Amino acid sequence: VVRQMMWLMDHIFKYTNFGIVSLIHGDFFIRQGKAHRDQQLVLLKEHLEKYYRSRNRKWIVLFPEGGFLRKRRETSQEFAKKNNLPFLKHVTLPRTGATQVILKTLVAPQENGTPAGRDTVIKENKSKGLQWVIDTTIAYPKGEPIDIQTWILGYRQPTVTHVHYRIFPVKDVPAEPEALTHWLYQRFIEKEDLLTHFYQTGAFPPPQGQTKAISREMTLSNLWLVGIQSLAFLSGGMWYCILRYFYHCLF
């Protein structure tokens, strides 16, 4: 799956030690803010048409929140207040531009309940386009996620990360901008309810008709974690050496 996956991530990650890996992999770095929004959506469409099918990608990872929670929460709440939308504490209202571009570019004709437009051309018959939308909600104990520094230095006790996911056939996701916006808003309002329940009870609510949520445990291998940390140290050191080299060349 990883080899056939494309990531959309904040442009700031381009300047981290894994930025060059993501560039080679063909991921897309998106700039936030009104000044860049329209241009970034055009660039995203071009990027998808150029790299997604030519590299046999079958999955795409998108964060519709459009930024970090701590940076976006206040502006999202102000927007919700002005537009008579629910007040959200654990999530932000999603931005819909990138989702619209992805669905318009990568969903096969006749999906989403309507025929595809002129610019939705399937260039390769091998690809049926996107078939599913997997909606993922992540919860952390006490709402405190583990960051990269924690992974490397290990100064926190081991913890359990909870992942709640639902699967929607792409034909059930509306294509029209207004309907898609409403659909996405509803998903994030549901996420708020899921996370509120989790932080009150320590577990996600069970599916309708069941009394208990059945979870599947996935434990990370210690050898795998040691390998990842070793690579983090090595790539961080290499990045530091490269920056020092360019610094000496310039000054």
Side-chain angles (χ1 to χ4, degrees), residues 29 35 46 59 66 68 98 110 129 138 163 167-169 191 208 213 216 241:
F29 297 93
E46 293 174 352
W59 304 79
F68 297 101
Q110 302 299 329
I138 304 175
V163 181
I167 302 175
F168 299 90
K191 288 176 185 289
Q208 190 173 5
R216 182 176 63 184
C241 291

Side-chain angles (χ1 to χ4, degrees), residues 97-243:
T99 307
Q100 290 176 15
V101 170
I102 290 170
L103 292 176
K104 203 171 184 180
T105 308
L106 300 182
V107 173
Q110 302 299 329
E111 295 286 4
N112 291 72
T114 57
R118 291 182 181 178
D119 52 353
T120 313
V121 178
I122 304 302
K123 295 182 178 179
E124 296 183 17
N125 293 327
K126 292 185 297 181
S127 174
K128 294 181 179 179
L130 296 180
Q131 300 293 302
W132 309 94
V133 173
I134 302 177
D135 174 30
T136 305
T137 305
I138 304 175
Y140 310 95
K142 299 180 181 179
E144 299 176 356
I146 288 182
D147 51 26
I148 294 175
Q149 295 92 324
T150 307
W151 270 61
I152 295 174
L153 301 176
Y155 58 82
R156 274 176 58 180
Q157 291 296 316
T159 186
V160 177
T161 300
H162 298 260
V163 181
H164 180 283
Y165 68 90
R166 294 175 299 175
I167 302 175
F168 299 90
V170 77
K171 64 181 177 61
D172 294 341
V173 181
E176 295 75 17
E178 186 174 344
L180 176 60
T181 298
H182 177 74
W183 188 87
L184 278 173
Y185 281 3
Q186 288 303 118
R187 301 291 77 76
F188 275 76
I189 291 168
E190 291 167 3
K191 288 176 185 289
E192 178 75 11
D193 294 337
L194 287 170
L195 290 170
T196 298
H197 187 280
F198 179 89
Y199 292 126
Q200 289 174 349
T201 66
F204 283 117
Q208 190 173 5
Q210 298 183 18
T211 58
K212 185 178 180 181
I214 301 173
S215 60
R216 182 176 63 184
E217 184 176 353
M218 187 176 75
T219 304
L220 296 177
S221 163
N222 288 332
L223 287 175
W224 186 83
L225 289 173
V226 169
I228 290 294
Q229 290 183 356
S230 300
L231 288 173
F233 277 118
L234 290 171
S235 59
M238 182 182 70
W239 197 246
Y240 173 75
C241 291
I242 291 172
L243 291 176

